[in-house]
Structures are given as structure tokens and as C-alpha cells.
Amino acid sequence: MLYYFAVFGTGFIMRSIGALFFGWLGDRWGRRNTFMIPIILMALASLFMGLLPTYQEVGVLAPALLVTLRLLQGFSLGGEWGGGITMVAELAPRERRGFFVGIVQMAQSGLLTTGLLTLFSSTMTKQAFTTYGWRILFILGVIIALIGFYIRVRLTETPAFDEVRRQKRTLKVPIAPLVTKGHYILMLLMALFLAGVPLSYTYIVYGATYLTQYVHFPYSQATFITFIASAFYLILTLPFAYLTDIVGRKPIVFAGLIGEAILVIPFYFFIVRYPIF
């Protein structure tokens, strides 16, 4: 189980590196041009994951390739997420910026992923799913990536970047002002968002893992529970995003973090004592 989560966690290390790299590239090469690279890398990583040889076929090379592809996924997702948020924030009307960024955030719900997992795991035998069913899911991701690439090719550059490029205000080391000019509030906000990530994945990832590995729920039931949670995430994201345009960003961010920190206690209590819930 620890090896499983270690492989999963490697992507998050590269996600930070990818965010910095593609963020820097986006400031120099343009939002639109940079935004097309991560989705190509993601598509390739997903395709090769679906086609990976098994341990019985190539031995230790199989998990090594898996970790490598996971690193590539994380690297590309860092640019993917940051690039998407940046483009939407710069193109959205100022008075509705929170609402439009919320639409992007809805993709984090994982509704499509958990829905497909539930469908496949409930309609296929366990042997079939572990043999080739999971591979189909990764290959399907390539189709979604190609659609996304087609949409991005048709995008125009953001006016904000055009203005920066026209005035030649691009920094060679954009991260330097965080330290040299004392942007402590920005660093504090970064820390707050980082604090919320482990809590979110506690619910999304560890919850389903605990139900299958320790409570011995059927995998299809565990993924269905995650699917329901993802649906609530999807439904509630946009109203709260809209609310940030009315009452401000800070109250909503703090309320969300406090809510996660409080709810994690009853979450563990219920899945341990009353796993049926």
C-alpha cells in the first residue's frame, strides 16, 4: 500500500516543477502557445500507461516505466492546471473572474473519471478489469486530450500577455520578487492552498482505498461512493465561485479550509466505526 501511494505521490513532486516551468514559459512564450504543450505530454503519458507491459513480461522495467510515466503526467498537469487558470482569469470579465475560474475548477471534481471507474468495475469481472479494463480508461484519456488540443489551437492570446510583451516587462527570473520584494501575503496564500491539498486527497483517494482494502467493500461500490462525492463537488463549486465575486475571495477560501479541517475528523470516525455510511 505504501508503494502504491509512493507512485501516486511522485506525480505531485513533478506537478510543482511543471507548474514553475510552464508558468515561466507562459510568461515568455505566451499563454496560448504554452498551454498546448502539457496536453500533448499528458496524452502521450496516458497512451503509454494503457500499453505498458506487465511485470511478468519485462520484470522490474514495468514498474520503472510506470513511475516514469507518472512523473511525466505530474509535470504536464502542473502546466495544464496553472495554464488553464491563468488564461481564464485573464480573459474573464473582472467582476466575474471568480465565476469563470470556478468553471475550470469544476474539472477537479473527477466526475467523469469516477463515473467511468464505477461503470467499468461494475460491469466487468474483477479479473477482466485488472487485466485490461483499467488500460481502456487510460487510452480513452487520449481521445479527450485530442479534443482539448483541437480547442486550444483555436484560442487567441490573452490581452494581458500581449500588453506585457508589448511593454517588454517579462522577468528573467519571475520567482525572485517573491523573496526580494517581500510578497509575503502571496506566499501565505500559496501555503494555505497547499494545506488544503492533502485534506482533499484524504477524502478522494484514501477514503476509497480504505473501503476496499480494510473494510472489504466491492471496488464498484467504493468508486460509486466517490462518484457521488464528486457530483456534489461539481454542483457546489460554481455557486461558491460566484460567491467570491460578491463577498471576496478570502472569506470563501478560509471557510473551505476550516471546513475541510473540521470534517476530516468525523470522516475518519464514520468510515472506521460505521463503514456503511
Side-chain angles (χ1 to χ4, degrees):
M1 188 59 62
L2 289 175
Y3 285 136
Y4 161 76
F5 282 117
V7 173
F8 181 76
T10 55
F12 286 89
I13 299 171
M14 292 302 294
R15 187 170 173 175
S16 300
I17 297 171
L20 288 172
F21 173 77
F22 285 110
W24 168 81
L25 197 63
D27 285 334
R28 300 189 65 82
W29 197 29
R31 320 295 196 217
R32 172 190 173 275
N33 295 331
T34 304
F35 198 33
M36 290 190 290
I37 301 173
I39 201 166
I40 296 172
L41 296 177
M42 184 68 76
L44 290 173
S46 295
L47 175 63
F48 289 129
M49 271 191 172
L51 301 175
L52 271 177
T54 63
Y55 182 84
Q56 288 73 20
E57 293 170 338
V58 296
V60 73
L61 183 61
L65 288 171
L66 177 63
V67 172
T68 302
L69 291 172
R70 178 65 185 153
L71 291 171
L72 181 59
Q73 271 190 332
F75 182 74
S76 57
L77 186 58
E80 174 79 13
W81 198 245
I85 293 291
T86 302
M87 284 205 72
V88 171
E90 291 184 352
L91 289 170
R94 190 177 185 86
E95 67 277 6
R96 287 290 176 266
R97 188 171 291 164
F99 177 80
F100 282 101
V101 170
I103 295 175
V104 182
Q105 185 67 25
M106 289 170 71
Q108 279 280 76
S109 69
L111 187 67
L112 179 61
T113 305
T114 55
L116 287 172
L117 272 174
T118 303
L119 176 65
F120 275 56
S121 60
S122 59
T123 56
M124 301 175 70
T125 64
K126 184 177 180 179
Q127 183 178 1
F129 182 78
T130 54
T131 303
Y132 63 86
W134 65 272
R135 295 178 182 272
I136 298 173
L137 292 172
F138 279 106
I139 295 171
L140 284 175
V142 179
I143 300 172
I144 298 171
L146 291 175
I147 296 170
F149 181 78
Y150 172 75
I151 294 170
R152 292 172 196 200
V153 168
R154 302 168 67 86
L155 293 173
T156 58
E157 191 53 80
T158 68
F161 176 76
D162 285 335
E163 181 65 19
V164 169
R165 182 166 50 185
R166 186 182 66 80
Q167 296 183 11
K168 297 180 180 180
R169 291 191 288 115
T170 302
L171 299 176
K172 290 183 178 180
V173 187
I175 201 171
L178 284 177
V179 179
T180 59
K181 293 188 178 181
H183 292 301
Y184 301 116
I185 297 299
L186 184 57
M187 288 191 283
L188 176 61
L189 285 172
M190 291 166 59
L192 286 172
F193 281 113
L194 286 172
V197 171
L199 290 172
S200 298
Y201 279 90
T202 294
Y203 301 120
I204 298 169
V205 178
Y206 184 73
T209 303
Y210 183 88
L211 287 175
T212 55
Q213 295 294 321
Y214 300 106
V215 186
H216 306 297
F217 259 43
Y219 186 71
S220 58
Q221 288 186 26
T223 55
F224 180 69
I225 292 170
T226 309
F227 173 75
I228 296 299
S230 299
F232 273 90
Y233 183 108
L234 186 76
I235 293 168
L236 294 173
T237 296
L238 211 52
F240 280 110
Y242 176 72
L243 205 57
T244 65
D245 290 323
I246 299 174
V247 302
R249 324 295 186 203
K250 190 167 70 172
I252 304 301
V253 171
F254 274 100
L257 287 171
I258 292 169
E260 281 192 311
I262 293 172
L263 289 173
V264 74
I265 298 171
F267 168 78
Y268 274 108
F269 176 78
F270 277 109
I271 63 172
V272 171
R273 294 289 298 275
Y274 307 104
I276 192 64
F277 294 109

